[in-house]
Every structure is written in C-alpha cells, then in structure tokens.
Amino acid sequence: MEIDAAREVRTTCPYCGVGCGVLAKVAADGQVSVRGDPDHPANFGRLCSKGSALAETIDLEGRLLHPEIHGCRTGWNEALDRVASTFSRTIAEHGPDAVAFYVSGQLLTEDYYLANKLMKGFVGSANIDTNSRLCMASSVAGHRRAFGSDTVPGTYEDLELADLIVLVGSNLAWCHPVLFQRIAAAREKRPAMKIVLIDPRRTMTADIADMHLAIAPDGDVALFTGLLAWLGQHNALDRAYITAHTTGFGQALFAASTLDLADVAATTGLSEDELVRFYSLFAATAKTVTVYSQGVNQSSSGTDKVNAIINCHLATGRIGKPGAGPFSVTGQPNAMGGREVGGMANMLAAHMEIENAEHRDRVRRFWNAPGIAQKPGLKAVEMFQGVADGRIKALWIMATNPVDSMPDADAVEAAIKACPFVVVSDVLASADTVRHAHVRLPATAWGEKDGTVTNSERRISRQRSFLAAPGEARPDWWIIAEVAGRMGFGEAFAHETPAEIFGEHAALSGFENDGVRDFDIGAYAGADAESYASLEPFQWPAPSPRGGTTEHQTTRFFANGNFYTPDRKARFIAIRPTTEIRTTPDFPLILNTGRIRDHWHTMTRTGKSPRLSQHIAEPFVEIHPVDAQHHGIGGADIVRISSPRGDVLVRALITSRQRQGSVFAPMHWTDQFAAKGRLDALTAPLVDPVSGQPALKHVAARIEKFAARAFAFAVMRRKPERVEASYWAVAKCRGGWRVELAFADDAADWTAFAGSLFDAPLAEMLAYHDRDAGQHRIAAFDGDQLAGALFVAPGPVAVSRGWAAEQLEEVHASQRERFRIVAGRAGADRPDAGATVCSCFNVGANQIVAAVAAGCTTVEAIGSALKAGTNCGSCRSEIRALIQANRVQAAE
C-alpha cells in the first residue's frame, strides 16, 4: 500500500485507554514525526512521554516479517493452511472446546470482532479471552451486577467539572498522564477542587492530592462499605433517587452497618480521624467523581471493590450527572473495544450475554451461525490451566505476551511449550511468547494498521495507517478471515476491508435493540469506505434514526435511572468485607506490582525507544527504609524477591513513599531485557471469584540482598547477544545500548569480559585496573568511535549513565578524550546533565538543580528555562521534589 508522505495523518495512540489523538507525518526522507492532535477531544493536543516517543518505536529491528513454521520461513498459503487444518482436525477429534484464542487490547475493534465471531459463532466454543481480563474484568463484572450492562456512565469532562475527585488504586500521574494533566489544569482554574488519593504507596499522583490515604492492601472494600454506612448514619443519602431508580438498598446498608468505624480502621490500616475526614468530605460534596483502576481491579475481591464504590454513588444519586459518577479508567488502548465485541469468554458481541438464550439466538440469527457457543468459555487463568492439563490442544495467541504478563508465568510458559499446537500472531520475532510458537504469523504494527479503538469514556476513534506494511506482514483481521475461510466459513468472513467489518459490527449493535441495550452504534451500520475513512471521534451510543428522526443523544448514562436490568433499576450489592492474610513467616512482605512512567506492558514497543529508557533503565523494587534496614539492604543493592512460585533479581530503591511491610516492583521486564526480571513468575493464579481477574497486587513475598562480589555498568554500540553475569539489564540508548550488571564472583579477566560483551574483536582497548580496590575501567575504540566502555566496582557503580551513553555518539580522536572515558568522568568543559527526569525533552536532574541555583524555584520557572514538565507533565512531581531539596542552597 502506498502512503501519502506529504500530509499528516490523524490517528490514535496505541498505549493506554485515554485514547489520545495523534498527528503522524512521514517526511520525504522517510523520517516519521508525531504530535498530539489539538482537535481530538480526549487529549486536545497533549501526549505523554510514551506517546511523544512513538516515532522511535516503529523501526523494523526485530520485526517478524514472514510467516514461519517451526522456525523456518514459509509462504502465507502454507502457514494459513497449517493453522486451519490443525484447528479443524483438533475440533473434529476432540470437540470445539479443545481449541482456544487468547487475544489482546492491542487489537483493533475490527480484529477483535472477527476473532470473537470465528470462535463463538462458528467454531462453537467461547474459549476466547483477552489480556484485558488482567486489567478490566472486575470493572466489567461490577458494572454488570449494578447496571445490568458494562456501561461507563461518565465522561472525561466530568473530571474537570467535579469538586471532589477520589482516585482509588490509580497512579494517574504515571499511568494516565494526560488525564492527570487535565485534572491539574482544571484545579489551577478552580483551586477549591479537592483530590483524595487512596493507594498503599505515596505515588507521584499523591503530590497533587489534598489527602493521601495509605490504605492497607485490599482494604478498599471495607473503606467504601464503611462509607456507605457513614452516609446512612449522617443523612447524606439521595432517598428520592434510591426509591425511584434502585433496588436492594436496604440489604446493602444492613450489610455495611455491621462495620463500625473501628472495624474499618482496623481493616484499612487508616486512623479513625482519616476516615472521618474522608467520609465527611465525600458526604458534603455533590459533584464527586471516583476514578478507579488496577489497584481496584487486580484483586481477589476486585468486583466487590467496584460495587462498593458504585453503591456509594447510587446512594447519593451521584451518577451520570456533570461532575459526578464512578469512573473506571482502562489500561489498554482498546480494552473497551474488546468489551464491545464480546472479546471475553463470558460475553457476547454488542454487550450481549452468552448466558442469555435470547441474546444467543439474536447473535446466531444475525451471524447466521447455527453452531454458536452455548456457554461461557475458559477465562484467562483457567485457559492456560486448560492448556497445561491437556484440555486445550490448539492455542492461537494474538498480539500479547502471556509468558510475561500472566500470573504464575513460569507455569504458563511450561504449558505453552508443552501444547501440541501453538500459533502466535505478533510483530516481533523473538518476544518471550513468540519463541514457543509452532506457527508464527507476521502482523502489522501501529502505523501500519487501519481500524478503530474505543477509549475509557466510550469514545470511538480511528487508528489510521501512515506506513506501508513491511515484508509480508498482514492485518490481524485479514489473517483471521483467511483462516476462517480455510476452515469452511468463508461466506461469513468475506470481508475485504476493515470498513466492512466495522459496518457489520455497528449493524449488530443496533439489531433488535431499540434502546434495550446500552451499546448501540447502529448509525454507522453498513459504513462505506468513504465515511469510514473520514470518521471523526464519537462517543456511543449512536443509534440509527428511528421513526424518521435521529433521537437526542446524551454523553452520560443513568442520571435519571433507566438502567439495563429487567426492571430498569440499578442493583445495590450487599457486601461484607473479609480480611485475607497472605503473608507467612517465610514470606512476610506484601508484593505490589504495576507500571512505571515511561514503559508499557512487556516493552515490545517502548523498549525500542532510547528516550523511554533514560528515566528508569532496569527492574527495581521499592522498599521502605525500615524494611531495608531489617533485611540489610542498601540503596542500589541487587535484591532477590521470592514468592512460593519463584524469584527475580532487581535493583533496590529505598524510599519512604513505600508503605512499610510492602514492596513494589514493576512488571515490564522480560527475558529480552533482563537476566531474571519476569515479575509475574512470582504472582499466584488467584482470581476474583466473580470476574476471574487475577490478584496481581497482593502477593506474599520475601526480600534478601544478593551477595554480589562485583557490580558493573557498560555502554556499547551493539546489543549484547549474550551476557555472562548473575544480574544484567539492557536498555536502548542513543547510539547503542547500556547494561547494568552484577556478579556473584569476580571475572578472571575483566578486559576479556569487556571484549566479549562489546563484540568488537578489532577494537583498540584502553584499560585501568586497581585489583586491590576492585576497580576496573575498560574502553574499546573502533577508529574514532567508542565501541564500548565497561566500569567495574565492588559496589554500585557511581559513573554517570547519561554521560557514558553520550560518548557513543561522540568522536574520540585524541588520547586525552579517550583517557577521559577510562577515567569515568566528564571534563569540566562538558557538564553532566545527570539522571533523566523529563523524558520528553531529555532534561536531567543536574540541569534542574543548576536552574534552581540560578533562581528558578517553581515548576513553572523550570519549564520556562528548560521546557521540562511542559509536555505530558508526568515529571512535574519529581521536578517539584528537586526544587524543594535544593531551595535552601538556592536561597543562600
């Protein structure tokens, strides 16, 4: 496909569920640039650090460009025939439930729709689930229990209209930075707005909060059940709304009333004074939005957490009104789109229910699919257990990396390795899951894909291609349709464009609907290529005109009731909190897992960007100073985290932001980027009984210092093929790669080790050795270019990482310049920027400290001087901390 390089293409960011609009441009020399779309209503031109660096992630390094069978290149016909025939034979011999699809929020809605249609409609099994099960399933289950549908009632605008925003289990500043900045901007205009953060950790989001409640892990059910009781006791209920639009209030209030304030304090770890202040603020503020994310969802009580929050909003009538409502923010770019097409094992397309015979019959008739699945399939954790025990004999994984992201990840990897037939559709050739596939199918990536995605506020936007598909890569929807045709279902999958699929998806949403289901975009049924190409972002519902007129549309649901239950009333859910102790004498700490600011999921995209690895370049664990002292761990030590299922090696980050008795580690690092960093090897396959979502944020663990004899840091032009070290973590940098290392034993010959690491046999080596002090510094030069530099010390290496990486792009013609590298420090004429704080503009800590000393004593002043913090804003909290730490020196 030829792409017009002379214009900017309006598309959508492929990261989180904010759904930011992006303008992508390809210059005449092929260089791609991106910027935020100022006209997109999700972001109005803002992009976070990850979105701003998208152009750095679209190179073809490591791409899977051709179909492969057993690691050997083959043609599409051979690969597709192998997939279709093996799935067909497996179904014939063992039944439809012997096969499964595991799909992804990285898919576009059109891809998702066809995968769901093939598995549920024509294979006849509901064994299709998605990695959205890992992040949003509890919200789906909570919505369905309360509303009768998976409906997000509010919009992003409510975050700007609210007088009180309660953030529950959400590090919005790092995980959804554009929404965080919308809130920050609104607060600047209305300083009376209050923000409460409920999170065991004092994250960067806490720096904007008026109140941070450092709640005990999984204390949210007790907190919000206690709030419901408080609202009842203090006459802060909307009795008219409760009576007119809800059922079950009496039972819910009775269950909540069994907890007194002391009980809630004991369960949550909060003081009674903190509880009273929060409860009073909530009770007194009509325009309240409660934003919740993975800290709520990723729990064995996640659905009860969601319903405990919703109960409080129903009880006060604060739902579907400007500035008021419960608000689930999604983790993936198209988790919502997947929910719309029934991408989970217990759902049908268009928000219909697989357990409902009327719904099944409606979808069956629309698809003309006589063998439609009759019951829910296996949810994600169950699915891989089914792979392990042999129930599932053929598995197709699309656009996701379960070897790294699933709980009990080592067991998941073993199950995939033992499965008789595994197909993986992906963009990379060597991701941790792809390497175990019998058939590898090259899919198109962001920039090459064409379709739609839905964000957290129900807004559907186009993701448009601006790059030609490389090699033999093909869209996921095309691959699915081709396999379906070869399995004998060609008539139902005769789609030639994503526009045709979207039009069918829209038609199904309006089929026999007439307002009885929430999801309805029937206005776009049968969309033609021209209208699809020019489709503007829109929020659903968007039903087709009825009775000759277009009905008035609202962007919010439920302000006046009209829920999607049989009696059209919302259901209160009676909840009695329970306390589960998972720690033991052998595993006395609670491990919390999550994301960091500049990386995404398993780094298949962000790992390509030098910019995004500058802020945090290796796996780490946050430890409270008291816990660190108790376990004999110092700052920057290597730490072994263990659980009953496995162990990892990470760097120690000692901080009082972490709750004592708990530790936090990010989930991004894989075997591609670290020696032993696959964090979900530690997590248990413990799930919420209603949603099936894993409890990834409450894991019994222990920590211990790894007894390293030597530490090292290296930079090199080529990515190391093999690293012989107990601990290593590799990251992209400008001009090459950087590696952190630690060793259980000293190398016999550090110069020889450096030569092996750099893979530059003809390079000229300069070295400094102080064996008594354990100090070694080696630099290798290929002409005037630095091929690599290695710095070894008996403790964590103190050399500036940013300065060392910059040397890969410098010319080193003189011996003086070369010995400067061996010395391990910049000259006085080349100031060191320090550790990166602002990834968007590559601003380091030393630069910010210097600006503070020069009189820049506000975040705004730093922004004016250095630009730091003026794009996505997710570094503003760190800038503020540097200002506070250095203000005294500046004043002197």
Side-chain angles (χ1 to χ4, degrees), residues 138-409:
S138 291
S139 286
V140 174
H143 290 161
R144 291 176 68 179
R145 287 207 300 189
F147 308 149
S149 60
D150 176 23
T151 311
V152 174
T155 74
Y156 292 163
E157 184 186 37
D158 294 324
L159 302 176
E160 297 160 328
L161 298 176
D163 294 324
L164 169 64
I165 294 177
V166 183
L167 300 170
V168 191
S170 169
N171 185 7
L172 209 67
W174 276 19
C175 298
H176 298 92
V178 169
L179 291 186
F180 180 77
Q181 288 307 312
R182 286 185 65 164
I183 293 171
R187 188 176 187 178
E188 287 182 7
K189 295 177 182 177
R190 295 191 298 113
M193 175 193 284
K194 300 295 182 185
I195 299 171
V196 175
L197 176 67
I198 300 167
D199 197 309
R201 301 165 60 218
R202 183 174 178 83
T203 63
M204 290 301 172
T205 303
D207 290 353
I208 200 176
D210 300 280
M211 187 186 307
H212 171 220
L213 301 179
I215 194 169
D218 283 337
D220 313 82
V221 174
L223 179 68
F224 283 93
T225 302
L227 173 58
L228 181 64
W230 174 275
L231 296 170
Q233 294 161 2
H234 291 79
N235 197 29
L237 303 171
D238 187 334
R239 296 282 183 182
Y241 190 92
I242 293 169
T243 300
H245 303 303
T246 73
T247 62
F249 174 71
Q251 296 92 320
L253 185 61
F254 177 78
S257 299
T258 61
L259 284 180
D260 61 23
L261 205 60
D263 294 328
V264 176
T267 304
T268 60
L270 303 172
S271 69
E272 293 188 23
D273 179 64
E274 287 177 308
L275 293 172
V276 169
R277 286 192 292 126
F278 170 53
Y279 288 175
S280 300
L281 182 61
F282 190 102
T285 313
K287 298 176 80 171
T288 296
V289 174
T290 303
V291 178
Y292 56 93
S293 192
Q294 308 313 345
V296 167
N297 294 316
Q298 289 180 336
S299 167
S300 59
S301 57
T303 306
D304 280 354
K305 290 183 183 184
V306 171
N307 286 118
I309 292 168
I310 291 173
N311 281 349
C312 296
H313 279 270
L314 292 174
T316 53
R318 298 173 187 171
I319 188 167
K321 299 173 182 175
F327 203 117
S328 160
V329 290
T330 53
Q332 290 202 76
N334 202 29
M336 289 287 279
R339 288 150 68 173
E340 292 161 7
V341 301
M344 292 185 179
N346 57 325
M347 302 169 67
L348 269 182
H351 281 196
M352 285 182 270
E353 301 170 4
I354 200 166
E355 305 97 327
N356 186 309
E358 181 182 338
H359 289 186
R360 290 198 306 271
D361 180 66
R362 182 181 296 121
V363 177
R364 177 192 62 77
R365 287 185 285 110
F366 183 87
W367 280 344
N368 191 23
I372 195 167
Q374 298 296 302
K375 65 182 189 302
L378 297 176
K379 298 169 185 171
V381 170
E382 300 169 327
M383 180 182 291
F384 286 99
Q385 290 170 343
V387 175
D389 63 28
R391 283 174 289 162
I392 293 173
K393 303 178 187 304
L395 174 67
W396 189 350
I397 299 168
M398 305 179 195
T400 186
N401 204 0
V403 165
D404 296 311
S405 58
M406 284 292 296
D408 202 8

Side-chain angles (χ1 to χ4, degrees), residues 419-430:
C419 185
F421 188 65
V422 177
V423 183
V424 175
S425 310
D426 212 325
V427 300
L428 292 184
S430 60

Side-chain angles (χ1 to χ4, degrees), residues 361-579:
D361 180 66
R362 182 181 296 121
V363 177
R364 177 192 62 77
R365 287 185 285 110
F366 183 87
W367 280 344
N368 191 23
I372 195 167
Q374 298 296 302
K375 65 182 189 302
L378 297 176
K379 298 169 185 171
V381 170
E382 300 169 327
M383 180 182 291
F384 286 99
Q385 290 170 343
V387 175
D389 63 28
R391 283 174 289 162
I392 293 173
K393 303 178 187 304
L395 174 67
W396 189 350
I397 299 168
M398 305 179 195
T400 186
N401 204 0
V403 165
D404 296 311
S405 58
M406 284 292 296
D408 202 8
D410 285 347
V412 169
E413 181 172 33
I416 292 172
K417 288 171 71 173
C419 185
F421 188 65
V422 177
V423 183
V424 175
S425 310
D426 212 325
V427 300
L428 292 184
S430 60
D432 289 354
T433 299
V434 175
R435 62 191 177 190
H436 301 307
H438 300 98
V439 178
R440 303 175 186 176
L441 303 176
T444 48
W446 183 82
E448 304 151 12
K449 297 166 69 119
D450 194 49
T452 58
V453 293
T454 307
N455 74 357
S456 294
E457 63 167 351
R458 296 176 277 105
R459 190 176 300 279
I460 295 174
S461 299
R462 287 278 277 111
Q463 206 177 92
R464 295 179 173 91
S465 58
F466 54 89
L467 296 171
E472 295 182 81
R474 297 290 184 271
D476 289 280
W477 67 263
W478 181 90
I479 300 171
I480 296 163
E482 286 291 318
V483 169
R486 286 166 166 80
M487 292 178 71
F489 311 128
E491 185 176 348
F493 292 85
H495 309 86
E496 295 185 358
T497 66
E500 294 175 15
I501 304 169
F502 180 78
E504 180 181 316
H505 163 53
L508 175 56
S509 75
F511 182 58
E512 298 179 358
N513 193 335
D514 200 23
V516 298
R517 301 190 306 275
D518 65 334
F519 179 68
D520 188 345
I521 57 169
Y524 297 92
D528 59 25
E530 184 177 350
S531 63
Y532 185 73
S534 60
L535 186 69
E536 295 288 328
F538 71 95
Q539 278 182 295
W540 60 260
S544 57
R546 298 185 178 103
T549 61
T550 301
E551 296 179 0
H552 172 71
Q553 292 304 299
T554 178
T555 57
R556 297 178 178 86
F557 284 88
F558 309 142
N560 297 307
N562 203 28
F563 294 88
Y564 292 93
T565 55
D567 61 4
R568 306 295 278 184
K569 292 187 175 184
R571 303 185 190 99
F572 279 92
I573 305 299
I575 299 169
R576 288 182 171 83
T578 58
T579 302

